[in-house]
Amino acid sequence: MNKITHKIDQGKALRSRARRIVAFCGAGISTESGLADFRSKGGLWDRYRIVTFQEFLASPENRVEYWSMRRELIPALLNARPNPAHHALAELEAEGRLDQVITQNIDGLHQAAGSTRVIELHGTNMTASCLTCGRQWPIAEIQQRLDAGELDPHCGECNGLIKPDTVSFGQSMPAEAMDKAYLAAAGCDLLLMIGSSLQVQPANQFPLIAHQSGASLIFINRTPTPYDHLATVCYDADAGQVMQALIE
C-alpha cells in the first residue's frame, strides 16, 4: 500500500467515525475554481496596496485606489464556479454529516455548490451596501458602474459610501459569525482544514479550538502550516482530489 492510499484510508476512517464534522476553509479551496490566492506572488495584494477601512472612509483618493483593485477582482469572482472540493462539502452536508462550513473566503462558492450551513468570517463579495442607509446591491451592478467610469460609487438614495460586504483590514470582525464559528469548532469531533495557511488571526485559531476540545483534525493544504503537528493526517495535494476520495 503506497503512502497516499494509506493516508486516504486514514481520512476515510476518521470521516466514517465522525458525527459532527466542521470544515474550515481558506483561499486554497478556491484555487481549483480559477481564483488565485491574494497573497501569492503576482496576486492582488502583491500588485495593489491594501487600503484599510479607515483609509477608505477618509478620502476619495483612497476609495478610487480601493475600487481599482475590486474592479479587477469582481469579474473573476462572478465567473468562478464551484470545484469538486466545494461539491464534496455540500454532499457531506446533504448526508447530515457536516455541521458547518467556516470560511475565510468571500467568493460565495460554498453556497453555489449547495452548502447552506456556511459561516462567512470575512463577509461576502457577492453584494455591496451603503454604509449610511444600508441599501444593498448585487456586486455585478456595482461592477457595471465601475466599468462606466464611476470610480468612487455613492448611494443614489442618501449619497452614502458604497462598500462590498466584506471585512476590510481595520474593520471589526463580525461578532455573530465569530461566535457561531467558535461554537461549531468547539463542538465538532472532526475538523477538515482545507486550503488555509493558518497565518491570519483570529481565524487561524479555530483548528486549535477544535483540537483542544478533543476533535481530530484533517489538513488539506499545499504548504505546511504552524499547526500541522496537531493533525491526525495532512495531505499535500489538490483539495478536490482529496475530498472526492474521502467521501467515496
Side-chain angles (χ1 to χ4, degrees):
M1 180 183 294
N2 61 37
K3 187 175 181 181
I4 187 64
T5 301
H6 176 65
K7 281 190 171 185
I8 292 295
D9 288 343
Q10 279 185 291
K12 283 184 175 181
L14 291 170
R15 188 261 303 160
S16 65
R17 291 195 299 266
R19 293 296 172 263
R20 293 194 66 181
I21 302 173
V22 166
F24 175 81
C25 302
I29 194 174
S30 295
T31 54
E32 293 173 64
S33 295
L35 295 177
D37 185 344
F38 295 169
R39 296 173 179 274
S40 61
K41 186 171 178 59
L44 287 176
W45 289 355
D46 187 43
R47 293 181 288 111
Y48 289 93
R49 184 181 73 86
I50 294 173
V51 177
T52 67
F53 183 59
Q54 291 74 21
E55 290 174 325
F56 181 90
L57 298 176
S59 75
E61 292 76 18
N62 289 333
R63 290 192 293 276
V64 168
E65 187 175 3
Y66 173 92
W67 280 112
S68 67
M69 184 272 283
R70 290 285 162 167
R71 185 184 176 193
E72 180 179 340
L73 171 65
I74 292 167
L77 294 176
L78 292 175
N79 291 327
R81 296 294 178 266
N83 64 57
H86 296 107
H87 288 297
L89 291 176
E91 186 173 334
L92 279 176
E93 181 187 318
E95 293 173 357
R97 307 293 300 281
L98 185 68
D99 187 57
Q100 292 283 353
V101 173
I102 305 169
T103 186
Q104 297 173 284
N105 297 334
I106 59 174
D107 51 39
L109 292 179
H110 292 293
Q111 293 90 332
S115 292
T116 62
R117 302 176 65 85
V118 182
I119 302 169
E120 294 176 311
L121 296 178
H122 297 157
T124 178
N125 203 83
M126 295 297 99
T127 56
S129 296
C130 173
L131 296 179
T132 301
C133 72
R135 183 183 174 188
Q136 191 176 72
W137 299 263
I139 199 65
E141 291 187 19
I142 305 303
Q143 180 70 16
Q144 291 174 355
R145 292 169 63 173
L146 295 172
D147 289 341
E150 191 176 347
L151 303 183
D152 179 17
H154 282 58
C155 177
E157 299 293 328
C158 70
N159 200 39
L161 302 178
I162 296 174
K163 182 183 175 297
D165 294 324
T166 56
V167 179
S168 296
F169 284 91
Q171 195 172 8
S172 298
M173 295 287 284
E176 182 179 355
M178 291 295 291
D179 289 345
K180 287 179 64 176
Y182 178 87
L183 291 174
C188 71
D189 55 7
L190 175 63
L191 184 134
L192 305 171
M193 191 289 290
I194 309 172
S196 175
S197 63
L198 299 180
Q199 300 286 342
V200 178
Q201 294 184 352
N204 64 351
Q205 297 302 301
F206 291 113
L208 180 60
I209 291 167
H211 175 74
Q212 291 173 339
S213 300
S216 300
L217 307 181
I218 292 176
F219 282 9
I220 307 169
N221 199 54
R222 277 298 191 179
T223 57
T225 81
Y227 298 121
D228 282 1
H229 63 286
L230 302 179
T232 303
V233 58
C234 295
Y235 299 94
D236 175 11
D238 290 339
Q241 174 191 0
V242 174
M243 285 302 302
Q244 286 293 311
L246 290 182
I247 68 168
E248 284 178 355

